[in-house]
Amino acid sequence: MPDKMASGRELWVLGIKAGKGREEQLCSYLAAGGYDCRLEHVENLASGRPLGILLDISPFSEDGWGLLLKIKSDPALRNIPVLLVFLSEMGTVGGVFPVAGFFTLPVDEHYLLERLAVYGLTEDAETWDLQALVVSRLGEEALSRVIESVGFEVVKAYTAKEARALVSIHPVYMAFSSLMLPDMSAFELLEKLRLSPYSSNTPVFVLLKTEMKQGEKTAMSREIAHLVSKKQLSCEEFLGFLRRRG
């Protein structure tokens, strides 16, 4: 997301119920960075086409995980950038999760290759010996074959601990991780990878199932709440995440 708004376009905030004021700090942060924003509904995305979406996935959200799945499963909506945020019950901005993108499973081969090309991640694959990391307890054979087809060597990890060990030995060009791993969530893995000099700038894509049961949504929200704890991001810290996505 760029620092300034494109003419006639704005950021939309989803997952927050109107009338409770939980969006006020988030919107004030965005205004300080020169952004326009408003609370919206997923049903209006196809006609509205915002510059990007900020989606609350905290336990206090209005089905944030369900909204994420709905957006990323719909070919008409899935290219809209989504930045996941954690807002406390009172609306404090407690965390931001700047993953490179989301793909639903089973993977759509053509869409995956198209998006990687748009991100400029396939240009050097046949020139250099580059590795892509796939982190999933299932191995994701179909995904691995697609990545290999454009020249990457696929390295597999079945837990987050194993993934961290692998990137500490040899850097990878990009990574794909299941939303929930046996030992932690993809978002906790993302934070840990950012601490390593070998993986601090590695693009990480999150793999989503097309459906999540209510118990899974609740468990993920609690996992995120535990990860965020009682942190509060300053306006400058928050805007830094948006600038890095530009």
Side-chain angles (χ1 to χ4, degrees), residues 13 23 48 94 107 138 155 167 222:
V13 178
E23 77 285 359
V107 65
L138 299 177
V155 179
V167 299
R222 288 175 177 167

Side-chain angles (χ1 to χ4, degrees), residues 40-191:
E40 261 296 350
H41 301 285
V42 70
E43 293 79 11
N44 298 329
L45 278 173
S47 59
R49 303 299 299 183
L51 182 67
I53 297 166
L54 290 101
L55 177 61
D56 179 24
I57 41 82
S58 73
F60 315 105
S61 71
E62 295 289 304
D63 193 22
W65 296 111
L67 292 174
L68 178 63
L69 292 178
K70 188 168 186 176
I71 293 166
K72 294 304 173 181
S73 298
D74 188 338
L77 306 177
R78 60 189 179 185
N79 286 345
I80 303 173
V82 176
L83 181 62
L84 302 185
V85 298
F86 178 99
L87 302 182
S88 72
E89 187 172 9
M90 301 304 294
T92 299
V93 181
V96 179
F97 304 95
V99 301
F102 300 90
F103 294 107
T104 55
L105 296 172
V107 65
D108 180 330
E109 176 179 347
H110 297 294
Y111 177 65
L112 172 65
L113 294 179
E114 171 196 299
R115 296 315 296 168
L116 294 182
V118 167
Y119 296 139
L121 294 173
T122 57
E123 296 173 359
D124 299 325
E126 294 185 1
T127 305
W128 305 99
D129 180 17
L130 300 177
Q131 294 183 332
L133 176 66
V134 175
V135 193
S136 169
R137 66 180 181 85
L138 299 177
E140 306 302 344
E141 292 298 330
L143 170 67
S144 299
R145 286 194 297 270
V146 177
I147 299 169
E148 289 172 337
S149 74
V150 289
F152 288 95
E153 177 189 355
V154 172
V155 179
K156 294 186 179 182
Y158 298 91
T159 65
K161 183 178 180 180
E162 186 179 358
R164 293 177 64 197
L166 287 171
V167 299
S168 70
I169 298 169
H170 190 284
V172 296
Y173 194 67
M174 60 181 172
F176 299 82
S177 174
S178 298
L179 177 62
M180 197 65 202
L181 299 165
D183 47 351
M184 66 181 67
S185 72
F187 304 115
E188 185 172 357
L189 173 60
L190 175 68
E191 290 206 347

Side-chain angles (χ1 to χ4, degrees), residues 189-209:
L189 173 60
L190 175 68
E191 290 206 347
K192 292 183 181 302
L193 291 179
R194 292 292 177 259
L195 299 176
S196 169
Y198 277 159
S199 56
S200 59
N201 294 314
T202 301
V204 177
F205 297 92
V206 173
L207 306 173
L208 304 170
K209 297 190 300 183

